[in-house]
Amino acid sequence: MKAMFVGLGAALLLPGVCLSQGGPLSLPEALRLARERAATVIAAGGRVEEARARLLPAARRLRENPVVELTGGRRQAGETFTDFEATVSQGFEPAARRQARIAGADADLEAAQAGLEDVRRTYLGEVDAAFQRTLAAQEKVRLATQAETLAGDLLTTLERRSQMGEATDLELNRVRTAAARARADRSAAESERLEAGGGLRALLGREPGEPLAVAGTLRELPALDLAPLLARAAERPDLQALAAAVRQAEAEVRLGETREKPDFALRTGYKREEGADVVSAGVSVALPWIARGQEEQAVGRARAASLRAQLEAARRAAETEVRTAFAAYRSRVQAVAELERTAIPAVEDNETLAQRSFEAGEINLGELLLIRQEILEARRSYLDLLLAARLAAAELETRAGAHR
């Protein structure tokens, strides 16, 4: 009996164990699987390939296809002539236009890549939180199972005493009620574990019947400092995506400005007229009198101004999010530390003292059941605080862009 109390006291101090036939999954492994198998990340990756594909035509030096013209006819002026003419022309654009187009395509690719990183950041944060909930649910199952074992052992003892006439029916019924409650608590904890594990399984893309258990301990709270987190938040992918969008809008403005310069085309031709061969060459120039890129410039400037404002607001919001999440995490850690300094050592002592006192007849059955219930509630509160702290850490790291 004493060994069971000691085991119950150590329940929250040990790493999680496998509750299924499959091997336990650590947090780094879960995050690796999320990177590889996350459907949302794969979909965002397709956006990157689209942007990369648009970069190729933007870098071409010739934007227009060559134009071939053929004309011919017959005429009669004393004698019959068959005249024909063939010309080939190729249009060119200013070098600055190609550079602006490449800059816009590069910025679009950077925005797509940053968007992929941002999807991965938030998705890995969800996996981290789901992992912690699953780990906590496993701990609850273990805690409830050990409490059920203790209640069953006590029931066996009281049944034997009842047969010997040393326990009343009231005492026996109270113990039976406590044992039934312990069994119900274990079933509820198992249900919570299945639910939490199902959420993690779905995020990792595992098959419905595939075994899943996690390994770790909630007590390993990460040591996080504000300054490095703020530095990482300043480089968060969603901010990089907005910055790339600003550069893309600025490239659109530059592209519109190049419309103010004339386009030209080189032309060469050959014709036969009245039996004579004529070879010609020339240049055609499109004068920018009407269409001067006014719309592209106006739209690009408005879009760039709006995106700059969004970027500045997003940077301030990111810093506020990190500072708020950091303060919340520190409060959670302090709450855990308070219980570890005072309540948990007392719980350890009370478990052993209560059992010894009951066996020595110093306390009655009702007092023992009450003490056990208080101990169980204290451990559940401790477990809830540990989970809240780990979830706060996952939220803080996600806000700071630590998950990549």
Side-chain angles (χ1 to χ4, degrees):
M1 181 74 71
K2 178 179 178 180
M4 293 182 182
F5 273 103
V6 174
L8 179 59
L12 298 178
L13 307 182
L14 301 176
V17 296
C18 178
L19 299 181
S20 64
Q21 296 298 322
L25 186 69
S26 67
L27 179 58
E29 291 170 341
L31 295 177
R32 178 184 59 79
L33 286 175
R35 292 185 185 96
E36 295 175 355
R37 305 179 68 177
T40 53
V41 172
I42 294 172
R47 166 74 177 90
V48 174
E49 295 307 317
E50 292 175 10
R52 185 174 286 112
R54 282 193 289 269
L55 181 60
L56 298 177
R60 286 201 302 259
R61 294 187 177 276
L62 298 179
R63 296 282 297 175
E64 300 178 359
N65 292 319
V67 178
V68 178
E69 298 181 28
L70 298 173
T71 58
R74 293 174 61 85
R75 63 175 175 163
Q76 187 171 1
E79 60 180 300
T80 302
F81 293 97
T82 300
D83 296 337
F84 65 90
E85 180 178 5
T87 61
V88 179
S89 62
Q90 176 63 60
F92 296 88
E93 65 180 8
R97 186 173 303 166
R98 174 174 174 269
Q99 294 171 359
R101 188 175 286 110
I102 292 175
D106 282 337
D108 183 48
L109 178 58
E110 291 174 13
Q113 291 172 333
L116 172 60
E117 290 297 323
D118 195 50
V119 169
R120 183 181 289 116
R121 172 182 69 93
T122 55
Y123 192 84
L124 293 181
E126 293 177 3
V127 171
D128 190 352
F131 182 92
Q132 304 305 335
R133 292 189 183 95
T134 304
L135 183 58
Q138 287 184 176
E139 297 284 1
K140 288 182 179 179
V141 169
R142 183 165 54 200
L143 185 62
T145 300
Q146 293 182 351
E148 179 186 12
T149 300
L150 290 175
D153 290 345
L154 183 59
L155 176 59
T156 300
T157 300
L158 262 291
E159 287 177 340
R160 183 172 61 254
R161 287 186 179 183
S162 177
Q163 292 174 357
M164 298 171 59
E166 298 178 357
T168 66
D169 291 342
L170 178 59
E171 290 176 327
L172 184 58
N173 287 337
R174 292 188 66 179
V175 175
R176 285 172 176 169
T177 301
R181 181 176 179 179
R183 290 193 298 270
D185 287 344
R186 185 198 54 78
S187 297
E190 181 65 25
S191 176
E192 184 176 345
R193 185 191 69 83
L194 292 173
E195 183 178 357
L200 180 60
R201 183 181 289 106
L203 286 172
L204 296 180
R206 290 202 169 186
E207 297 296 330
E210 188 175 357
L212 176 64
V214 297
T217 172
L218 291 173
R219 290 197 63 184
E220 294 178 356
L221 298 177
L224 302 174
D225 294 326
L226 182 59
L229 292 170
L230 289 175
R232 297 201 68 167
E235 302 297 326
R236 221 166 63 177
D238 57 333
L239 302 181
Q240 295 179 13
L242 279 173
V246 171
R247 293 193 295 273
Q248 186 180 20
E250 293 171 344
E252 186 178 350
V253 173
R254 295 198 300 273
L255 183 63
E257 292 173 345
T258 64
R259 305 290 184 191
E260 298 176 353
K261 299 179 180 180
D263 294 344
F264 68 95
L266 297 180
R267 177 176 177 174
T268 183
Y270 167 81
K271 70 177 180 178
R272 186 176 183 82
E273 184 176 1
E274 296 184 357
D277 296 330
V278 180
V279 178
S280 62
V283 177
S284 64
V285 179
L287 301 178
W289 286 350
I290 300 176
R292 299 169 55 86
Q294 304 96 319
E295 181 179 353
E296 290 174 303
Q297 295 180 52
V299 172
R301 289 192 179 98
R303 183 165 173 262
S306 175
L307 288 170
R308 289 191 195 98
Q310 293 179 41
L311 177 58
E312 185 60 28
R315 283 173 176 163
R316 291 194 301 268
E319 180 177 350
T320 300
E321 290 172 2
V322 171
R323 290 184 180 276
T324 302
F326 183 77
Y329 176 63
R330 287 187 60 185
S331 297
R332 299 292 188 185
V333 172
Q334 290 172 0
V336 170
E338 179 62 28
L339 276 186
E340 289 178 341
R341 282 194 305 267
T342 58
I344 297 305
V347 165
E348 299 290 343
D349 292 339
N350 288 345
E351 286 176 340
T352 304
L353 292 174
Q355 182 63 24
R356 287 177 179 174
S357 298
F358 176 70
E359 292 174 352
E362 297 174 356
I363 61 174
N364 58 33
L365 177 62
E367 291 173 318
L368 175 63
L369 293 176
L370 180 60
I371 292 173
R372 282 190 175 183
Q373 186 61 33
E374 291 174 349
I375 291 173
L376 184 58
E377 290 176 357
R379 292 199 178 282
R380 287 173 177 169
S381 297
Y382 180 49
L383 182 56
D384 289 340
L385 286 176
L386 284 174
L387 175 59
R390 292 303 297 265
L391 291 178
E395 178 70 12
L396 174 56
E397 291 181 312
T398 301
R399 297 291 185 183
H403 289 307
R404 297 290 184 89

